[in-house]
Amino acid sequence: MFLDAVTRDYNYAPSAVMVAAPTLWLRELVAIAKAAQSITERIVSKDLISLWKDVEPEVAHQITAEYLVKSSSAIILLGNLAQSHPRFAELRALAGIIADLTGASLGYLPEGAGTVGAWLAGCVPHRGPGGNLVEVGQNWHNMVTGGVKGLLILGAELDHDCANSDAAVKGLRNTDFVVSLSPWNSRAQEDYADAILPVTPYAETSGTYVNLEGRWQGFQGAATPLGEARPGWKVLRVLGNLLDLKGFDYFSSEQVLSEVKELIGIITPNNFMPWRIPQEIKSSQKGLTRFGEVPPYAGDALVRRANVLQATPDGQIGVAARINATTATHLGLADFIMVTVHQGESKADLPLVMDNRVAEGCVSVPSAVLETATLGENFGDVKLIAVTATPDRIII
C-alpha cells in the first residue's frame, strides 16, 4: 500500500494507492489510524479522537488498515519525501500510532548510504553514539544562516545536496571561513569555499555501511587514491592532530569502527513509544505546493558526473514542472508549455508537463539539479507564471 504525491510505475500490483498533495498527508494517515482503531477496537486517547472526528476513512484507508492488522509481518516505511516534509515529526508520530494500533513495525528508507551509520555514530546535533541524548547542538539550517563562523564540509556539493540549496550557498558566502573536503571541484564550490582539500570517493577507501535493516557491511578500498587525495577520515585525523584535539590517534578505519561499535553497544529496535499527537492536521501552506524529488541519477556527486548513467532513459527524463491537467486548467495553464516557477524570492524557467499521475493541488519540481538550484526548499508554496503557449498539448 502506498501514500504518495504521484502514482508510480510499480513492478507489482499494489493493494491500495492513496495519491494526495503533501499538504494532505497528515489527514491521510489520520484516516488510516481511525480505520485501524475501528477494526481493533483499541482504546485511544481523547486527543486522537478529537483529531480524527471530522475525518471519514475511504476505501483505500480501510484496505490499508485491514492489511496492516491482519498481517503477521507488516511494516510501515517512511521514505525520502516524507523525511523531507516540513511536518515530518508529525508524519512520523502518526505512522508510529498506526504501527501501535496494528502491531506493524515502523522503519525508514534512508536517503543516503551513510545515513543510518551517521545516526548510530552520533553525527546529529542532539544525539551521541547509539542514540543517547546529548547537549543540543545547532542544526544545519542554523549553521549556514549565521550560526557559526567556520564550517567544515565533507563530501557534499551544497548547490545540489541540500533541501534548500539556495539558502545554503547564500549562507556559506557570509560564513567567515569554509573548508570543503571533496573529490570534485566546481564553480559553486570555488564560490563558497575558502579552501578545498582533495579526498577520495567511497570506492577508494575502506569503511562500513549500515543498511536499512541494521546490518553492518564492511569493505576495502577498490582503487588507489589519485594524486595526493586521501580518505576523508585520514584528513580529519590529521586536522585533529594539527589542532591538538583529543581522540584523533587512529591508524586505520577499523580502529574507528571498533570504537564506534563499543560506544553504541547492543541496540534493540523498538517503535512502540509515547508518540506526540499532532495538534492539528491542517496545513499552513496555501495555493499550489511544490514537492521536490531527486532524479534517479542526481543523488550524489559521482552519479551526476557519470555520463553513461546520464545517457540512460532514467537519466534523460528531463527537468520540468509536472502538474495534473485538472490543476493546470484551474490555474489557466492548460495551453502553456513553459512557465516560470516562483518560490519565495527565487525563480526558474521550466517546461510545463501535464502529468495526471501527480496529485491535484501540487507540482513536481525536481531538486539536486542545476536548473532548480536557486529555488527554495523541497516543499513549499509556489506560483507558476505562464511563459509560452502551444495549441498541441500531450498529457501523460
Side-chain angles (χ1 to χ4, degrees), residues 26 29 86-95 276 278-280:
L26 288 175
L29 291 183
R87 299 182 70 177
F88 171 58
E90 294 163 288
L91 290 172
R92 181 177 60 179
L94 289 172
R276 183 179 299 174
Q279 296 297 309
E280 60 178 2

Side-chain angles (χ1 to χ4, degrees), residues 1-120:
M1 295 81 70
F2 293 89
L3 169 57
D4 207 336
V6 60
T7 302
R8 310 286 176 178
D9 295 325
Y10 305 108
N11 291 328
Y12 41 81
S15 299
V17 177
M18 294 150 282
V19 178
T23 51
L24 300 176
W25 285 357
L26 288 175
R27 187 178 185 87
E28 294 290 310
L29 291 183
V30 167
I32 296 172
K34 185 174 183 179
Q37 191 276 333
S38 67
I39 296 171
T40 61
E41 298 183 344
R42 288 271 304 276
I43 298 175
V44 297
S45 69
K46 293 180 180 180
D47 290 338
L48 188 56
I49 294 174
S50 176
L51 191 67
W52 70 37
K53 65 179 180 179
D54 296 325
V55 176
E56 288 300 325
E58 298 177 0
V59 174
H61 306 130
Q62 294 283 0
I63 291 174
T64 300
E66 288 173 2
Y67 271 108
L68 291 175
V69 171
K70 294 178 180 178
S71 174
S72 60
S73 57
I75 183 169
I76 301 169
L77 292 172
L78 294 163
N80 294 344
L81 275 180
Q83 293 171 60
S84 298
H85 198 286
R87 299 182 70 177
F88 171 58
E90 294 163 288
L91 290 172
R92 181 177 60 179
L94 289 172
I97 289 169
I98 295 171
D100 184 33
L101 286 169
T102 62
S105 298
L106 177 63
Y108 308 87
L109 294 174
E111 187 167 6
T115 303
V116 178
W119 264 88
L120 289 174

Side-chain angles (χ1 to χ4, degrees), residues 88-316:
F88 171 58
E90 294 163 288
L91 290 172
R92 181 177 60 179
L94 289 172
I97 289 169
I98 295 171
D100 184 33
L101 286 169
T102 62
S105 298
L106 177 63
Y108 308 87
L109 294 174
E111 187 167 6
T115 303
V116 178
W119 264 88
L120 289 174
C123 294
V124 287
H126 60 303
R127 301 280 181 179
N132 297 315
L133 286 171
V134 297
E135 183 177 345
V136 177
Q138 295 196 56
N139 62 41
W140 173 237
H141 180 270
N142 290 343
M143 285 191 285
V144 297
T145 53
V148 295
K149 293 184 177 180
L151 279 170
L152 184 68
I153 303 166
L154 174 60
E157 295 183 305
L158 303 190
D159 53 321
H160 287 80
D161 293 329
C162 295
N164 191 336
S165 293
D166 186 50
V169 172
K170 288 178 180 177
L172 290 176
R173 289 173 183 156
N174 295 323
T175 302
D176 289 352
F177 194 74
V178 177
V179 178
S180 178
L181 279 60
S182 175
W184 322 101
N185 196 6
S186 66
R187 290 183 179 179
Q189 193 170 217
E190 289 181 349
D191 180 33
Y192 61 70
D194 296 283
I196 302 174
L197 302 181
V199 297
T200 62
Y202 71 92
E204 297 174 14
T205 180
S206 58
T208 301
Y209 288 121
V210 183
N211 69 9
L212 62 88
E213 68 173 353
R215 182 174 300 177
W216 298 59
Q217 299 170 303
F219 57 91
Q220 299 297 320
T224 302
L226 182 66
E228 296 185 11
R230 294 293 181 268
W233 73 267
K234 286 189 176 182
V235 177
L236 294 176
R237 185 203 63 189
V238 173
L239 289 175
N241 296 153
L242 293 173
L243 296 171
D244 294 325
L245 300 177
K246 295 181 179 180
F248 283 81
D249 301 321
Y250 307 104
F251 292 98
S252 69
S253 64
E254 287 77 16
Q255 282 183 298
V256 180
L257 174 64
S258 177
E259 183 172 323
V260 169
K261 280 190 170 182
E262 183 178 346
L263 290 171
I264 290 174
I266 299 175
I267 294 179
T268 303
N270 177 23
N271 57 251
F272 297 110
M273 60 180 292
W275 298 101
R276 183 179 299 174
I277 296 174
Q279 296 297 309
E280 60 178 2
I281 55 178
K282 294 181 180 180
S283 173
S284 60
Q285 292 182 340
K286 301 177 181 178
L288 192 65
T289 302
R290 174 205 178 183
F291 68 95
E293 293 190 272
V294 178
Y297 297 129
D300 63 61
L302 184 60
V303 299
R304 286 195 287 265
R305 289 169 171 81
N307 294 331
V308 173
L309 293 180
Q310 300 302 331
T312 64
D314 282 339
Q316 295 292 311

Side-chain angles (χ1 to χ4, degrees), residues 329-340:
T329 300
H330 176 72
L331 296 173
L333 298 172
D335 297 327
F336 290 85
I337 59 171
M338 287 291 297
V339 293
T340 300

